[in-house]
Amino acid sequence: MINIAVLGYGTVGSGVVEVINTNHRSINKRAGDEIRIKYVLDLRDFPGDPVQEVLVHDYEVILNDPEVAIVVEVMGGIEPAHTFVKRALLAGKSVATSNKALVAKYGSELMEIAREKDINFLFEASCGGGIPIIRALNSSLTADEIDEITGILNGTANYMLYKMSMEGSDFDSVLKEAQAKGYAEADPTADVEGADASRKIAILSSLAYGKFLDYEEIYTEGITKITPEDMAYAKELGMTIKLLATSRKVDSDSFYALVAPFLLGQNSPLFSVNDVFNAVFIHGNVLGDAMFYGSGAGKLPTASAVVADVVDEAKHLHRNIMTNWSSRALKLMDLDQVNGRFFVRVKGMTVSEVQNIMGPVQIVNLKNLPGEFAFIAAGMTQGEYREKAGKLNGSVITMIRVKD
C-alpha cells in the first residue's frame, strides 16, 4: 500500500479524490500497488462529506508521518505551497503538483532536491490541464531537438477571443460572461494580461531546451486591448486572433520567447482551437510538426493529470525520473532582433504615405470604419518595425503580430 496526502480540498483537490475513488481499480493496477488517500489537508471542515474521515488541519501531521510516501499539492499560489512542498521533498516524500506559479518560480530548486533525495517532483497538470504535454517532452520526444513551442495555453483568454470573434462583442461584456460561467476568476488579471500563459511557456521551454527560463524575462502582452474592430479586420482577412505563448530556438545559442495576441491564418494548426480548449504545437528537428490538444483546465481533466503523476511516482518510489531541465539560465535574445510580420491599423494617413515608410504592404479596408485602414507589413525585425512605426506620425491605432 502506498499512502498519499492531498494538500487542499478545493476544485482540483476534490477532483483528485474523486478520480482516485472512481478509477481506483485501474489506477492501482497501473501503479502496481494500492494507492490510499491517508490525509487531506484543508483549513475548512466538510460536514457530510466522506473526506471528513481523513481531513486534517495541521500540515505537521502529514510531514511527520513516515507512512506518507507521496504528497499532492493542489492549493495553488506560492506560499505556503512552496514551504510545504520543499519540506516534503526534504523529508523524502515525492510530490505531484498542478501549481504552475510554484513550478515556474521554484521548479529548478525543487527538482534538484528531488534528484538529491532520489525521489520525484512532477507537475504534468501545471501546463495545459489534462493535456499530457510535459510527459511527452520528458519521454516521447527525447530523441528530438525541439526548436519551437507555440501554444494556446489559457482557456479563459481563448474563450473570450472566440466569443469576440463569433459575436462581435467587446472585451468587457465577454469578460462578464466568462466570469458568470466560471471560466474567469473574479480577478482575471493573470489570464487576460498573459501572466498565466507566460508561466506555462516558461515551464515548457525549460523542459524542451534544458535550461531554466525565468518567466519574468518573457515579454508579455495580454488581450485587454483587442477590440471588435480588430476582429472584423481579422475576419476580412480570413484569419483569427489568438493569445499565443511561444518560444523558439533560432540557433544553438539564441532563443526568444513572448506572449502576445497573434493573427493566425487558416493553415495554422492552432486556427481552429476554440472555446476553452488549449493546444500546444511543437516542432522538432526529427519529428517535424506535432500538436497536443485537449481540455486546458477544469476539475477532472486537471485532476486526471495529477493522478497520472501520482501513479508515475508510485512506480518510481525510490528512483528519480530524469528530466531535461537544469538550473542554468536560458538567456533570451533581444526581441528587436526577431523577424516577424505585423498587422497595423492606422488613421489619418494615405496608403501612399504608409507605403513610403513601411515599403510594400497588404492593404485592408472595412466600409464601416471610414477614415482608417489596416495593412500587413512585410517581414522585418521588430526593431525595424518600431523604427518605421515611429515615422507614422502617431497614426497607429493598434498593432498585432502575425503568425506564419
Side-chain angles (χ1 to χ4, degrees), residues 2 14 29 71 78 80 92 94 108 116 119 128 132 146 178 181 194 196 199 248 251 298 322 401:
I2 297 173
S14 61
K29 183 177 179 181
V71 170
I78 297 295
S94 289
S108 295
E116 291 174 356
I119 53 177
I146 306 300
K181 290 187 174 183
D196 176 79
R199 290 186 176 100
R248 190 161 188 170
D251 56 46
M322 294 298 294
R401 293 165 179 82

PDB file of all heavy atoms in Angstrom, residues 2 14 29 71 78 80 92 94 108 116 119 128 132 146 178 181 194 196 199 248 251 298 322 401:
ATOM      1  N   ILE A   2       0.475   2.237  -0.844  1.00  0.00           N
ATOM      2  CA  ILE A   2       1.200   3.492  -0.915  1.00  0.00           C
ATOM      3  C   ILE A   2       0.264   4.595  -0.422  1.00  0.00           C
ATOM      4  O   ILE A   2      -0.786   4.853  -1.015  1.00  0.00           O
ATOM      5  CB  ILE A   2       1.656   3.779  -2.359  1.00  0.00           C
ATOM      6  CG1 ILE A   2       2.632   2.690  -2.817  1.00  0.00           C
ATOM      7  CG2 ILE A   2       2.304   5.162  -2.449  1.00  0.00           C
ATOM      8  CD1 ILE A   2       3.004   2.779  -4.281  1.00  0.00           C
ATOM      9  N   SER A  14     -10.496  18.193  -4.667  1.00  0.00           N
ATOM     10  CA  SER A  14     -11.656  17.307  -4.625  1.00  0.00           C
ATOM     11  C   SER A  14     -11.721  16.445  -5.877  1.00  0.00           C
ATOM     12  O   SER A  14     -12.169  15.298  -5.837  1.00  0.00           O
ATOM     13  CB  SER A  14     -12.941  18.118  -4.466  1.00  0.00           C
ATOM     14  OG  SER A  14     -13.135  19.009  -5.557  1.00  0.00           O
ATOM     15  N   LYS A  29      -3.882  -0.922 -10.540  1.00  0.00           N
ATOM     16  CA  LYS A  29      -3.277  -1.877 -11.465  1.00  0.00           C
ATOM     17  C   LYS A  29      -2.085  -1.250 -12.186  1.00  0.00           C
ATOM     18  O   LYS A  29      -1.030  -1.869 -12.320  1.00  0.00           O
ATOM     19  CB  LYS A  29      -4.317  -2.345 -12.474  1.00  0.00           C
ATOM     20  CG  LYS A  29      -3.817  -3.405 -13.443  1.00  0.00           C
ATOM     21  CD  LYS A  29      -4.936  -3.872 -14.366  1.00  0.00           C
ATOM     22  CE  LYS A  29      -4.420  -4.922 -15.351  1.00  0.00           C
ATOM     23  NZ  LYS A  29      -5.516  -5.370 -16.273  1.00  0.00           N
ATOM     24  N   VAL A  71       3.062  13.300  -1.662  1.00  0.00           N
ATOM     25  CA  VAL A  71       2.255  14.457  -1.301  1.00  0.00           C
ATOM     26  C   VAL A  71       1.743  15.105  -2.586  1.00  0.00           C
ATOM     27  O   VAL A  71       2.516  15.358  -3.510  1.00  0.00           O
ATOM     28  CB  VAL A  71       3.068  15.474  -0.475  1.00  0.00           C
ATOM     29  CG1 VAL A  71       2.296  16.773  -0.304  1.00  0.00           C
ATOM     30  CG2 VAL A  71       3.431  14.878   0.887  1.00  0.00           C
ATOM     31  N   ILE A  78       1.946  30.716  -4.245  1.00  0.00           N
ATOM     32  CA  ILE A  78       3.350  30.475  -3.927  1.00  0.00           C
ATOM     33  C   ILE A  78       3.526  30.000  -2.487  1.00  0.00           C
ATOM     34  O   ILE A  78       4.221  29.021  -2.214  1.00  0.00           O
ATOM     35  CB  ILE A  78       4.188  31.743  -4.172  1.00  0.00           C
ATOM     36  CG1 ILE A  78       4.154  32.129  -5.669  1.00  0.00           C
ATOM     37  CG2 ILE A  78       5.627  31.529  -3.719  1.00  0.00           C
ATOM     38  CD1 ILE A  78       4.801  31.115  -6.595  1.00  0.00           C
ATOM     39  N   PRO A  80       1.484  29.051   1.274  1.00  0.00           N
ATOM     40  CA  PRO A  80       2.533  28.194   1.851  1.00  0.00           C
ATOM     41  C   PRO A  80       2.936  27.001   0.982  1.00  0.00           C
ATOM     42  O   PRO A  80       3.662  26.130   1.445  1.00  0.00           O
ATOM     43  CB  PRO A  80       1.898  27.708   3.153  1.00  0.00           C
ATOM     44  CG  PRO A  80       0.447  27.589   2.806  1.00  0.00           C
ATOM     45  CD  PRO A  80       0.158  28.751   1.881  1.00  0.00           C
ATOM     46  N   GLY A  92      11.894  13.329   2.163  1.00  0.00           N
ATOM     47  CA  GLY A  92      11.934  12.102   1.367  1.00  0.00           C
ATOM     48  C   GLY A  92      10.610  11.686   0.765  1.00  0.00           C
ATOM     49  O   GLY A  92      10.451  10.524   0.355  1.00  0.00           O
ATOM     50  N   SER A  94       7.886  12.112  -2.300  1.00  0.00           N
ATOM     51  CA  SER A  94       7.693  12.634  -3.650  1.00  0.00           C
ATOM     52  C   SER A  94       6.505  13.591  -3.665  1.00  0.00           C
ATOM     53  O   SER A  94       5.598  13.489  -2.819  1.00  0.00           O
ATOM     54  CB  SER A  94       7.455  11.500  -4.643  1.00  0.00           C
ATOM     55  OG  SER A  94       8.637  10.756  -4.864  1.00  0.00           O
ATOM     56  N   SER A 108      13.326  24.668 -10.560  1.00  0.00           N
ATOM     57  CA  SER A 108      14.724  24.218 -10.557  1.00  0.00           C
ATOM     58  C   SER A 108      15.156  23.772  -9.170  1.00  0.00           C
ATOM     59  O   SER A 108      15.772  22.712  -9.000  1.00  0.00           O
ATOM     60  CB  SER A 108      15.641  25.343 -11.046  1.00  0.00           C
ATOM     61  OG  SER A 108      15.379  25.660 -12.397  1.00  0.00           O
ATOM     62  N   GLU A 116      18.498  14.860  -5.540  1.00  0.00           N
ATOM     63  CA  GLU A 116      19.412  14.530  -4.444  1.00  0.00           C
ATOM     64  C   GLU A 116      18.817  13.464  -3.518  1.00  0.00           C
ATOM     65  O   GLU A 116      19.552  12.624  -2.983  1.00  0.00           O
ATOM     66  CB  GLU A 116      19.729  15.794  -3.639  1.00  0.00           C
ATOM     67  CG  GLU A 116      20.584  16.802  -4.395  1.00  0.00           C
ATOM     68  CD  GLU A 116      20.746  18.101  -3.626  1.00  0.00           C
ATOM     69  OE1 GLU A 116      20.127  18.243  -2.534  1.00  0.00           O
ATOM     70  OE2 GLU A 116      21.469  19.002  -4.122  1.00  0.00           O
ATOM     71  N   ILE A 119      13.980  10.910  -5.277  1.00  0.00           N
ATOM     72  CA  ILE A 119      12.516  10.861  -5.315  1.00  0.00           C
ATOM     73  C   ILE A 119      12.074  11.725  -6.490  1.00  0.00           C
ATOM     74  O   ILE A 119      12.883  12.050  -7.366  1.00  0.00           O
ATOM     75  CB  ILE A 119      11.896  11.345  -3.986  1.00  0.00           C
ATOM     76  CG1 ILE A 119      12.462  12.729  -3.616  1.00  0.00           C
ATOM     77  CG2 ILE A 119      12.156  10.326  -2.877  1.00  0.00           C
ATOM     78  CD1 ILE A 119      11.856  13.330  -2.365  1.00  0.00           C
ATOM     79  N   GLY A 128      -1.519  23.138 -19.395  1.00  0.00           N
ATOM     80  CA  GLY A 128      -2.465  22.504 -20.300  1.00  0.00           C
ATOM     81  C   GLY A 128      -3.446  21.568 -19.648  1.00  0.00           C
ATOM     82  O   GLY A 128      -4.043  20.731 -20.339  1.00  0.00           O
ATOM     83  N   PRO A 132      -1.304  15.787 -21.933  1.00  0.00           N
ATOM     84  CA  PRO A 132      -0.046  15.191 -21.432  1.00  0.00           C
ATOM     85  C   PRO A 132       1.194  15.718 -22.144  1.00  0.00           C
ATOM     86  O   PRO A 132       1.987  14.962 -22.696  1.00  0.00           O
ATOM     87  CB  PRO A 132      -0.263  13.695 -21.711  1.00  0.00           C
ATOM     88  CG  PRO A 132      -1.123  13.673 -22.929  1.00  0.00           C
ATOM     89  CD  PRO A 132      -2.047  14.855 -22.802  1.00  0.00           C
ATOM     90  N   ILE A 146      14.053  19.995 -29.877  1.00  0.00           N
ATOM     91  CA  ILE A 146      12.906  20.879 -30.072  1.00  0.00           C
ATOM     92  C   ILE A 146      13.397  22.275 -30.417  1.00  0.00           C
ATOM     93  O   ILE A 146      14.263  22.819 -29.738  1.00  0.00           O
ATOM     94  CB  ILE A 146      12.026  20.926 -28.807  1.00  0.00           C
ATOM     95  CG1 ILE A 146      11.625  19.514 -28.367  1.00  0.00           C
ATOM     96  CG2 ILE A 146      10.793  21.793 -29.035  1.00  0.00           C
ATOM     97  CD1 ILE A 146      10.856  18.738 -29.383  1.00  0.00           C
ATOM     98  N   ALA A 178     -17.764  35.395 -19.228  1.00  0.00           N
ATOM     99  CA  ALA A 178     -16.811  34.354 -18.819  1.00  0.00           C
ATOM    100  C   ALA A 178     -16.814  34.176 -17.309  1.00  0.00           C
ATOM    101  O   ALA A 178     -16.728  33.052 -16.802  1.00  0.00           O
ATOM    102  CB  ALA A 178     -15.412  34.704 -19.318  1.00  0.00           C
ATOM    103  N   LYS A 181     -19.930  32.269 -16.183  1.00  0.00           N
ATOM    104  CA  LYS A 181     -19.865  30.835 -16.483  1.00  0.00           C
ATOM    105  C   LYS A 181     -18.782  30.112 -15.685  1.00  0.00           C
ATOM    106  O   LYS A 181     -18.632  28.896 -15.808  1.00  0.00           O
ATOM    107  CB  LYS A 181     -19.624  30.627 -17.981  1.00  0.00           C
ATOM    108  CG  LYS A 181     -20.813  30.997 -18.846  1.00  0.00           C
ATOM    109  CD  LYS A 181     -20.587  30.603 -20.293  1.00  0.00           C
ATOM    110  CE  LYS A 181     -21.835  30.833 -21.123  1.00  0.00           C
ATOM    111  NZ  LYS A 181     -21.661  30.381 -22.527  1.00  0.00           N
ATOM    112  N   GLY A 194      -1.954  37.854 -19.602  1.00  0.00           N
ATOM    113  CA  GLY A 194      -0.957  36.941 -20.158  1.00  0.00           C
ATOM    114  C   GLY A 194      -0.003  36.311 -19.171  1.00  0.00           C
ATOM    115  O   GLY A 194       0.820  35.486 -19.564  1.00  0.00           O
ATOM    116  N   ASP A 196      -0.464  34.083 -16.799  1.00  0.00           N
ATOM    117  CA  ASP A 196      -0.679  32.643 -16.693  1.00  0.00           C
ATOM    118  C   ASP A 196       0.002  31.916 -17.858  1.00  0.00           C
ATOM    119  O   ASP A 196       0.724  30.930 -17.651  1.00  0.00           O
ATOM    120  CB  ASP A 196      -2.168  32.342 -16.675  1.00  0.00           C
ATOM    121  CG  ASP A 196      -2.475  30.859 -16.652  1.00  0.00           C
ATOM    122  OD1 ASP A 196      -2.375  30.258 -15.577  1.00  0.00           O
ATOM    123  OD2 ASP A 196      -2.819  30.300 -17.717  1.00  0.00           O
ATOM    124  N   ARG A 199       3.895  31.912 -17.541  1.00  0.00           N
ATOM    125  CA  ARG A 199       4.441  30.891 -16.638  1.00  0.00           C
ATOM    126  C   ARG A 199       4.477  29.527 -17.334  1.00  0.00           C
ATOM    127  O   ARG A 199       5.445  28.772 -17.207  1.00  0.00           O
ATOM    128  CB  ARG A 199       3.605  30.815 -15.363  1.00  0.00           C
ATOM    129  CG  ARG A 199       3.747  32.041 -14.453  1.00  0.00           C
ATOM    130  CD  ARG A 199       2.997  31.827 -13.143  1.00  0.00           C
ATOM    131  NE  ARG A 199       3.196  32.948 -12.232  1.00  0.00           N
ATOM    132  CZ  ARG A 199       2.313  33.930 -12.048  1.00  0.00           C
ATOM    133  NH1 ARG A 199       1.172  33.915 -12.715  1.00  0.00           N
ATOM    134  NH2 ARG A 199       2.560  34.912 -11.198  1.00  0.00           N
ATOM    135  N   ARG A 248      11.225  29.973 -29.246  1.00  0.00           N
ATOM    136  CA  ARG A 248      11.870  29.398 -30.418  1.00  0.00           C
ATOM    137  C   ARG A 248      13.381  29.415 -30.264  1.00  0.00           C
ATOM    138  O   ARG A 248      13.953  30.375 -29.728  1.00  0.00           O
ATOM    139  CB  ARG A 248      11.470  30.169 -31.680  1.00  0.00           C
ATOM    140  CG  ARG A 248      11.905  29.500 -32.965  1.00  0.00           C
ATOM    141  CD  ARG A 248      11.122  30.032 -34.134  1.00  0.00           C
ATOM    142  NE  ARG A 248      11.402  29.280 -35.334  1.00  0.00           N
ATOM    143  CZ  ARG A 248      10.731  29.394 -36.465  1.00  0.00           C
ATOM    144  NH1 ARG A 248       9.715  30.252 -36.533  1.00  0.00           N
ATOM    145  NH2 ARG A 248      11.042  28.681 -37.521  1.00  0.00           N
ATOM    146  N   ASP A 251      19.174  29.570 -33.163  1.00  0.00           N
ATOM    147  CA  ASP A 251      20.374  28.780 -33.447  1.00  0.00           C
ATOM    148  C   ASP A 251      20.840  28.171 -32.128  1.00  0.00           C
ATOM    149  O   ASP A 251      20.114  28.222 -31.131  1.00  0.00           O
ATOM    150  CB  ASP A 251      21.470  29.613 -34.129  1.00  0.00           C
ATOM    151  CG  ASP A 251      21.868  30.848 -33.328  1.00  0.00           C
ATOM    152  OD1 ASP A 251      22.072  30.724 -32.098  1.00  0.00           O
ATOM    153  OD2 ASP A 251      21.988  31.934 -33.914  1.00  0.00           O
ATOM    154  N   GLY A 298     -10.143  22.775 -15.769  1.00  0.00           N
ATOM    155  CA  GLY A 298     -11.310  22.035 -15.310  1.00  0.00           C
ATOM    156  C   GLY A 298     -10.936  21.048 -14.230  1.00  0.00           C
ATOM    157  O   GLY A 298      -9.814  20.547 -14.176  1.00  0.00           O
ATOM    158  N   MET A 322      14.367  11.130 -14.615  1.00  0.00           N
ATOM    159  CA  MET A 322      15.195  12.210 -15.159  1.00  0.00           C
ATOM    160  C   MET A 322      14.364  13.189 -15.991  1.00  0.00           C
ATOM    161  O   MET A 322      13.462  12.792 -16.728  1.00  0.00           O
ATOM    162  CB  MET A 322      16.315  11.632 -16.022  1.00  0.00           C
ATOM    163  CG  MET A 322      17.334  10.815 -15.249  1.00  0.00           C
ATOM    164  SD  MET A 322      18.214  11.812 -14.008  1.00  0.00           S
ATOM    165  CE  MET A 322      19.117  12.942 -15.053  1.00  0.00           C
ATOM    166  N   ARG A 401       0.770  41.138 -33.933  1.00  0.00           N
ATOM    167  CA  ARG A 401       1.720  40.323 -34.689  1.00  0.00           C
ATOM    168  C   ARG A 401       0.988  39.265 -35.525  1.00  0.00           C
ATOM    169  O   ARG A 401      -0.126  38.880 -35.191  1.00  0.00           O
ATOM    170  CB  ARG A 401       2.702  39.659 -33.731  1.00  0.00           C
ATOM    171  CG  ARG A 401       3.622  40.641 -33.022  1.00  0.00           C
ATOM    172  CD  ARG A 401       4.330  40.029 -31.830  1.00  0.00           C
ATOM    173  NE  ARG A 401       5.205  40.991 -31.193  1.00  0.00           N
ATOM    174  CZ  ARG A 401       4.810  41.919 -30.317  1.00  0.00           C
ATOM    175  NH1 ARG A 401       3.528  41.990 -29.978  1.00  0.00           N
ATOM    176  NH2 ARG A 401       5.670  42.772 -29.793  1.00  0.00           N
TER     177      ARG A 401
END
